[in-house]
Amino acid sequence: METKLKEHLMQIAGRLTPESTLEDVYEQLSLLADIEISEEQEQNGQVLTQAEVERQSQEWLK
């Protein structure tokens, strides 16, 4: 995880502008972490099909 953190920070640092804030950095880091988690979930087969999402959402909205 430490290596990924450094990679993410380097990516973000390359896109910083003089107007960038610490909040901007945090948002980008959070987005990259969410993407990483999503990719791991996909690799582990922890995803739903469109039909499963539609069925579950109908149940949730009752």
Side-chain angles (χ1 to χ4, degrees), residues 5-43:
L5 176 60
K6 287 181 182 180
E7 289 175 16
H8 292 329
L9 288 172
M10 295 301 290
Q11 281 181 314
I12 294 166
R15 290 181 284 201
L16 292 177
T17 66
E19 294 80 27
S20 296
T21 65
L22 187 54
E23 185 174 323
D24 295 333
V25 173
Y26 176 75
E27 288 175 6
Q28 287 295 310
L29 187 57
S30 179
L31 175 64
L32 290 171
D34 288 345
I35 291 170
E36 185 177 326
I37 290 168
S38 295
E39 289 174 345
E40 287 175 7
Q41 289 173 332
E42 182 182 19
Q43 289 174 355

